[in-house]
Amino acid sequence: MTQVSMTVRMDSQLKAKFDELCAQFGMSSNTAMNVFASAVVRKKKIPFEIEGEEADVYKKGWNA
């Protein structure tokens, strides 16, 4: 399978914490991103729930 490169921009402190946790899991951050992408494709959705505070949702005018 052909490999391609992808650039992701994130806060440097978040990246450092992410790298540290990935190392504890025995994988690189690159491997973790591939695991995430594979789960999204396999499940056809983000593999976890994304939530915000209700107040934020209503301020933007979204229906709950």
Side-chain angles (χ1 to χ4, degrees):
M1 187 179 315
T2 303
Q3 299 266 318
V4 296
S5 180
M6 183 174 106
T7 301
V8 177
R9 299 185 74 71
M10 70 174 66
D11 178 82
S12 61
Q13 291 178 340
L14 175 61
K15 172 75 164 80
K17 290 176 183 178
F18 184 64
D19 286 342
E20 184 180 323
L21 280 170
C22 289
Q24 289 177 22
F25 301 151
M27 67 176 79
S28 68
S29 57
N30 187 65
T31 298
M33 294 301 290
N34 277 292
V35 168
F36 172 74
S38 294
V40 169
V41 170
R42 184 176 59 255
K43 295 179 178 199
K44 295 182 174 59
K45 66 177 192 170
I46 301 294
F48 49 84
E49 191 171 331
I50 300 172
E51 295 183 20
E53 293 183 31
E54 276 188 298
D56 290 342
V57 172
Y58 291 120
K59 284 178 190 174
K60 293 179 181 177
W62 297 339
N63 295 324

